Amino acid sequence: MEAFRSHKRRKLSPPIQVEQQQPSCAANPEVEDESTNLKLATLLALPPTPPNDPLHHLPKTITSLLPTRPRSLLRLAYSKLHTYPFDSVPGCWLRLYEEASLYLAVGVIRRGIEEGEEGDEREDEDGVEDGGGDEWNNPEGEKENDWITHTVHILDKALIITGSPLRASLIHSLLSALESHSTTLHPQSPAVPSIPPHFPPSPLPHPKINHPIPRLQNPSLQSFQSHLDTPTGPTPLILTDTLSHWPALSTRPWSSPQYLLSRTFNGRRLVPVEVGKSYTHPEWSQKLVPFAEFVGTYLLRPPPPPPSAKTNNNNHRKEPEEKEDAKEQEHQIAYLAQHDLLSQIPALRPDIAIPDYCYTTPPTSPPLPHNQNQKQKQHPHLDSPLLNTWLGPAGTVSPLHTDAYHNLLCQVVGCKYVRLYDPRVVSAGRMFARGVEGGGVDMGNTSAVDDVEGLEGLESGEGLVGLEAGEGGFEERFPGFRALGFVEAVVGVGECLFVPRGWWHYVRGLSVSASVSFWWN
């Protein structure tokens, strides 16, 4: 979606371009036993770093501690990642976090193999936890006596926090070897009670669609390109029957929690989730959780009551505040949002394919308001589409915002309601863009009109549900917003929503939902 979301999840900078000179950790073909392969992959010294590695910018007094004090260096690197703006972190600190994670993981694996299945319960000599604090702390309830799970989490943190600028292939090889090794130990899978074969159907009512987005059935590339070349600029489209060849919709179904757990090391893999109504909400937070916990706690849980079940009518008796707080906690939403899951967990990448439409040529300068165009020119040209995965329960929200790239949002599981506003006729001021907020975070691509029920109440006749007392009426807070034109749709399984660059859009999940977005320019 936008830079703010990346900032909050500390996706700190693009991968550093350095030579990939490290040897592979692939198993020795002369050795057939998987356990022996794993020992070879972990007992060998880590391969040397290339001459242009940013790690060499650090003093040797720091890097010399990697073999003996990796936990201390993780803590140091983590603190440095939070010293700089997310897009300005020097590559040496990203590399230090990544390299220290590898040294720590190799040590845990070595001791785990030597000492048996009970593994490593010892702290490092400096007593520092695994490179984290704040939102990147150890997942709740993690037990370090399961050395395999402990190692998986160390390596996943390196992938998620740094983007793994140099050692991605090495980390993925270690994770693959760990998974092969674990099959010989027959560990118990993480506890997810009564895993059904499929996610539950849509629990929330579909909004009435009064201003539908046009639909095209499997258009040709030439037809889609003609739409992009419209003199006044392209408009949103829903493309149907274009994803039927994706294994994620058939033979490797993402609609099956059992399948997803099988591709995430029995749910051991860590994923970053956003907790709360949306990223603009004051109670919003983020954390890392094992995938099994994400599925069991959030995706398979009964959904919260629909907005229409709430009321501000004084004739209805209100719940005591304590009970309301308890209910909100019980129905707390977690969203795996705008995360490059397919790079972090390559086992899922063959399940989808980049749509051919992403290789068309969109207009380079859509007719956006001047200030918006100037802002978006700062974004670099993409050599290939940017992929992000979105997975969450019913009720997830992406508040009204605009992006700097053209987007194909492909729906794999469930359905989403979307509403879009045309930037050619709507200025950022009329969308009540937030601007620069606390901490210098630029929220100019996100609207202050972020109340889900408020947006949907404009046409429903049910009133503006959810606006808190004392905030004033909707028209007083957002004058003229009700009169703005928009288009809308419910995007279902196998459909692609084309969102042109600069269009303001709001998205709400109506069920357990999985989507893959493709940004291109």
Side-chain angles (χ1 to χ4, degrees):
M1 272 181 34
E2 63 288 312
F4 174 73
R5 190 181 288 278
S6 295
H7 167 82
K8 285 294 186 179
R9 279 204 301 276
R10 306 302 300 176
K11 291 186 178 175
L12 300 164
S13 68
I16 301 165
Q17 299 301 316
V18 293
E19 297 176 18
Q20 300 286 330
Q21 294 182 353
Q22 71 275 11
S24 170
C25 275
N28 187 331
E30 298 178 2
V31 183
E32 296 181 356
D33 181 74
E34 290 292 342
S35 178
T36 304
N37 287 340
L38 180 60
K39 291 179 183 179
L40 288 173
T42 56
L43 294 179
L44 291 175
L46 289 173
T49 59
N52 61 340
D53 188 342
L55 196 62
H56 298 315
H57 298 164
L58 295 174
K60 288 191 176 181
T61 52
I62 292 178
T63 56
S64 64
L65 296 176
L66 279 165
T68 57
R69 304 293 293 273
R71 292 181 191 254
S72 294
L73 295 185
L74 276 177
R75 175 70 63 150
L76 172 64
Y78 183 82
S79 68
K80 294 296 184 181
L81 300 187
H82 289 72
T83 302
Y84 299 88
F86 77 99
D87 56 353
S88 303
V89 178
C92 57
W93 297 117
L94 293 170
R95 280 288 295 120
L96 182 64
Y97 191 99
E98 181 186 34
E99 201 74 4
S101 298
L102 274 168
Y103 273 93
L104 180 61
V106 166
V108 173
I109 294 171
R110 183 184 294 117
R111 289 193 294 268
I113 292 175
E114 291 173 353
E115 298 175 8
E117 188 173 343
E118 290 302 313
D120 172 46
E121 294 185 70
R122 298 175 296 177
E123 277 191 333
D124 188 76
E125 64 276 11
D126 55 15
V128 179
E129 292 181 354
D130 299 352
D134 304 327
E135 69 268 35
W136 300 120
N137 59 358
N138 283 331
E140 186 176 351
E142 179 179 334
K143 302 297 184 182
E144 291 198 12
N145 63 341
D146 178 358
W147 67 268
I148 292 179
T149 299
H150 182 41
T151 307
V152 169
H153 290 180
I154 292 170
L155 296 175
D156 266 332
K157 288 176 189 175
L159 290 170
I160 294 168
I161 293 174
T162 72
S164 198
L166 177 62
R167 303 292 205 184
S169 62
L170 182 58
I171 291 175
H172 290 312
S173 294
L174 282 172
L175 287 166
S176 178
L178 275 172
E179 190 162 9
S180 297
H181 180 73
S182 71
T183 60
T184 66
L185 303 179
H186 304 293
Q188 291 184 350
S189 299
V192 179
S194 305
I195 304 173
H198 300 285
F199 288 115
S202 175
L204 300 182
H206 290 199
K208 181 181 179 182
I209 303 301
N210 295 312
H211 310 285
I213 298 172
R215 293 173 180 265
L216 289 180
Q217 182 178 10
N218 195 20
S220 66
L221 288 181
Q222 182 178 5
S223 175
F224 187 70
Q225 183 66 61
S226 296
H227 180 74
L228 296 179
D229 294 337
T230 303
T232 56
T235 55
L237 288 175
I238 291 180
L239 313 179
T240 64
D241 298 331
T242 61
L243 306 180
S244 58
H245 61 292
W246 280 20
L249 275 70
S250 54
T251 56
R252 298 197 286 269
W254 285 18
S255 60
S256 167
Q258 296 173 353
Y259 171 75
L260 292 178
L261 290 170
S262 74
R263 307 307 285 173
T264 54
F265 206 154
N266 289 327
R268 284 186 172 93
R269 299 298 300 269
L270 289 183
V271 290
V273 299
E274 303 178 355
V275 181
K277 182 179 179 181
S278 76
Y279 67 82
T280 57
H281 196 271
E283 301 299 322
W284 179 88
S285 64
Q286 37 183 6
K287 61 181 180 179
L288 297 176
V289 297
F291 192 80
E293 179 183 331
F294 176 54
V295 170
T297 303
Y298 298 103
L299 300 187
L300 296 180
R301 184 182 58 189
S308 59
K310 305 174 185 177
T311 181
N312 289 335
N313 191 326
N314 292 330
N315 294 328
H316 290 261
R317 183 179 300 173
K318 289 192 67 177
E319 294 270 9
E321 188 172 335
E322 305 80 32
K323 288 188 177 181
E324 287 186 355
D325 291 343
K327 285 185 177 180
E328 285 187 13
Q329 184 71 19
E330 179 185 352
H331 292 294
Q332 199 173 49
I333 289 175
Y335 197 10
L336 192 163
Q338 196 190 322
H339 176 53
D340 191 1
L341 183 68
L342 306 182
S343 291
Q344 182 201 345
I345 305 178
L348 291 169
R349 180 61 180 83
D351 299 355
I352 65 99
I354 297 176
D356 291 343
Y357 305 112
C358 293
Y359 297 103
T360 54
T361 305
T364 55
S365 299
L368 301 180
H370 176 72
N371 60 335
Q372 207 168 332
N373 244 344
Q374 287 298 111
K375 188 180 183 77
Q376 295 191 6
K377 284 179 182 177
Q378 301 172 10
H379 290 77
H381 173 75
L382 300 176
D383 294 326
S384 59
L386 292 178
L387 279 64
N388 281 299
T389 300
W390 312 75
L391 178 61
T396 57
V397 167
S398 292
L400 193 60
H401 70 284
T402 183
D403 294 326
Y405 299 104
H406 297 277
N407 181 18
L408 275 181
L409 180 68
C410 300
Q411 195 64 19
V412 183
V413 178
C415 51
K416 289 179 171 176
Y417 171 78
V418 294
R419 177 178 288 198
L420 300 99
Y421 294 81
D422 189 343
R424 299 170 301 181
V425 297
V426 176
S427 67
R430 294 182 70 193
M431 296 306 294
F432 302 94
R434 289 175 173 265
V436 178
E437 298 192 345
V441 178
D442 187 354
M443 293 282 285
N445 70 331
T446 301
S447 171
V449 187
D450 63 352
D451 183 80
V452 177
E453 290 77 24
L455 280 168
E456 294 174 354
L458 298 179
E459 300 290 334
S460 68
E462 295 178 359
L464 297 173
V465 183
L467 295 178
E468 297 182 9
E471 290 186 340
F474 188 89
E475 188 62 32
E476 178 184 342
R477 296 170 61 213
F478 307 114
F481 186 82
R482 294 188 187 204
L484 297 178
F486 61 86
V487 292
E488 60 186 341
V490 172
V491 183
V493 174
E495 296 181 337
C496 301
L497 170 66
F498 168 58
V499 181
R501 174 179 180 249
W503 278 65
W504 292 82
H505 51 288
Y506 155 82
V507 186
R508 181 168 69 95
L510 302 176
S511 66
V512 172
S513 172
S515 315
V516 181
S517 62
F518 300 84
W519 282 353
W520 89 103
N521 61 11

